[in-house]
Every structure is written in structure tokens, then in C-alpha cells.
Amino acid sequence: MIGAEGVSLTTPGGPVTVRYDSVAALTTRPDGARSLTGLDGFHLTIEPTLYRSVTEERIAAVDAGVPAAARVPLPARDAEQIPRPPEPKASTPKARRPRWRDALRGLPFGLVALVVVDTVFGLGILFSVVHEATAAEPRWSRFLPLFLPTVLLTRYTRRAYHRHRHARG
């Protein structure tokens, strides 16, 4: 911000201001760059190539606000030394988030069916256990016959998945 009494810059650490009446040195470049160093040690650099709002009139206001004794003219810089704004990045198409259907693509139907049966069977047992736990007199023994088929079905599904994975390489 170039104002009537000085130049301010808002940084992540807070605002930095160099007042014109307390400038120790103002370095000037023919390309319009200005660096103000305050008596308190704060330093601000104005680069017209980096900020659209820094016009010749605003640079002239900085020059007029600083006492002539504090001005230090510097030689012109090579064109490659003058900072330039970064080139706008070419917009890349956004990567589409994978969907569950994409995860299933390429899996054999039998493996998908096994996973579905495992899931339905497991959820059925879970809901039955929760229901039994809320009963006045739970009978846990009715779940014992379901234990062995559940373990066998899960093992078979895992083996089928690992066979498929290793077959793909």
C-alpha cells in the first residue's frame, strides 16, 4: 500500500510500514523499482513488475515523499534480473476421484459375489448379536453353529482375492 505518509506491506508476521519522514535510504532503479529502508531497520521493496497497482504515478508519489538526501540512485538492471510474476500454470484436468465401481472393474464376478455374501452374512450376524445382547435372557449358544461357516467363507474369499491378485502380476 503506497500512501501519503509512507509505504506499508502486510506480511504473515504482521504489517510493516516505512514512513517517508523516517527513511534512512531509498534506492531507485530506472525500471521503477524502489527499496525503502527505515531508521528502525524495516525494509520494503516495491517492484512495479510484480504488482499491477504500482503505477508510474505511485512511484512518483514515493519519490516525492522521501527527502532528496535519502535517495540513492542505482544503475539499471539486466532484463533477466528484473523480477517477473510467475507464469500461470496450464490448467490440468482435475483427476477424477475413484468410485467404488472403478475399484470393482477388473475383478471376477465370483470374487465380487463372495465379498457381497461375506458382507451380508457378517452384517446379519452382527445385527443378531446386538439383538441378542438386548434380550432379557440372551442365548449365546445359538451363534456357535455360525462360527465355523463364517470363518471358512472368509478364508475362501481371502484366498480367491489373493489368487486373483497374483494372477494379474
Side-chain angles (χ1 to χ4, degrees):
M1 170 112 146
I2 298 173
E5 297 180 18
V7 179
S8 293
L9 176 68
T10 303
T11 68
V16 175
T17 301
V18 177
R19 294 178 52 86
Y20 298 138
D21 59 2
S22 64
V23 169
L26 168 69
T27 60
T28 64
R29 297 271 187 182
D31 57 46
R34 302 291 187 263
S35 288
L36 295 96
T37 304
L39 294 172
D40 55 4
F42 282 111
H43 177 84
L44 291 173
T45 299
I46 303 169
E47 288 286 354
T49 56
L50 298 180
Y51 302 102
R52 274 186 263 143
S53 62
V54 179
T55 60
E56 289 182 25
E57 294 80 25
R58 300 192 98 177
I59 295 295
V62 171
D63 291 342
V66 175
R71 288 193 209 125
V72 180
L74 296 176
R77 299 184 279 188
D78 291 334
E80 56 271 356
Q81 289 179 318
I82 299 172
R84 299 277 174 222
E87 293 291 324
K89 293 181 181 177
S91 62
T92 57
K94 290 186 179 181
R96 185 171 67 87
R97 286 181 45 198
R99 296 185 177 154
W100 64 270
R101 278 185 244 121
D102 295 337
L104 295 178
R105 193 165 287 140
L107 292 177
F109 176 77
L111 181 58
V112 174
L114 278 173
V115 170
V116 170
V117 169
D118 266 353
T119 304
V120 170
F121 195 69
L123 286 173
I125 291 175
L126 177 68
F127 290 132
S128 298
V129 167
V130 170
H131 177 57
E132 194 68 30
T134 59
E137 293 182 32
R139 293 185 313 197
W140 298 107
S141 60
R142 57 166 76 161
F143 292 103
L144 287 176
L146 298 175
F147 181 73
L148 184 61
T150 304
V151 170
L152 292 176
L153 183 61
T154 303
R155 284 191 68 196
Y156 184 73
T157 304
R158 284 184 55 147
R159 281 189 182 166
Y161 172 72
H162 286 292
R163 270 195 309 263
H164 167 72
R165 221 171 86 193
H166 291 297
R168 283 186 19 188

